[in-house]
Amino acid sequence: MPSDHQPVHARLQEIVFPDHTNHLGTLFGGQALAWMDKAAFIAASRHARRTVVTARSEQVDFRRPIRQGQLVEVEARIISVGTSAMQVDVELHAEDLLGGERVLCTRGRFTMVALDAQGRPTAVPPLRQ
């Protein structure tokens, strides 16, 4: 069980290198989704303290392109908890390292499910208020 001070969020940072981009020099959507899923996984794992898997990604909105050389910060927050499933909102911000401008580029929601040792859904603690 998580302690009272345990976070139910995760924050990751990445730099967009050439191998992360398409022919236009912007971040591949699949790479953005992978980073978002990773952050959701970490947040859900911290909350459940169990093995978790992605059950669903939904309503992913790509608002602005992210360019090669930008810093990307991905933040995941658990917003609700069911019996074994956790809803995780994830935001992806891009920052220009030279100018300092920071903008929200992508937002999505992921459903993560906790599993027991046999790979079956298992209960997770309620979300603290």
Side-chain angles (χ1 to χ4, degrees), residues 70-89:
Q70 287 187 306
L71 173 70
V72 173
E73 185 170 60
V74 187
E75 185 171 5
R77 290 179 306 281
I78 296 178
I79 59 164
S80 68
V81 172
T83 304
S84 62
M86 295 157 277
Q87 298 292 315
V88 186
D89 275 356

Side-chain angles (χ1 to χ4, degrees), residues 56-120:
R56 180 180 194 163
S57 63
E58 58 184 276
Q59 194 61 43
V60 177
D61 297 315
F62 295 92
R63 297 170 177 217
R64 299 185 71 174
I66 300 169
R67 306 213 176 280
Q68 179 181 318
Q70 287 187 306
L71 173 70
V72 173
E73 185 170 60
V74 187
E75 185 171 5
R77 290 179 306 281
I78 296 178
I79 59 164
S80 68
V81 172
T83 304
S84 62
M86 295 157 277
Q87 298 292 315
V88 186
D89 275 356
V90 183
E91 292 184 346
L92 195 152
H93 291 82
E95 179 180 327
D96 181 282
L97 286 174
L98 300 180
E101 179 187 6
R102 180 180 158 88
V103 294
L104 174 63
C105 295
T106 307
R107 175 181 279 159
R109 179 166 293 164
F110 292 76
T111 302
M112 309 302 285
V113 174
L115 303 177
D116 65 15
Q118 288 72 44
R120 295 183 302 249

Side-chain angles (χ1 to χ4, degrees), residues 4 10 33 49 114 120 129:
D4 288 337
L33 287 171
R49 294 297 177 193
R120 295 183 302 249
Q129 301 300 330

Side-chain angles (χ1 to χ4, degrees), residues 11 16 19 28 53 84 103 105 110 123 126:
R11 185 172 285 142
V16 179
D19 61 327
F28 280 121
V53 294
S84 62
V103 294
C105 295
F110 292 76

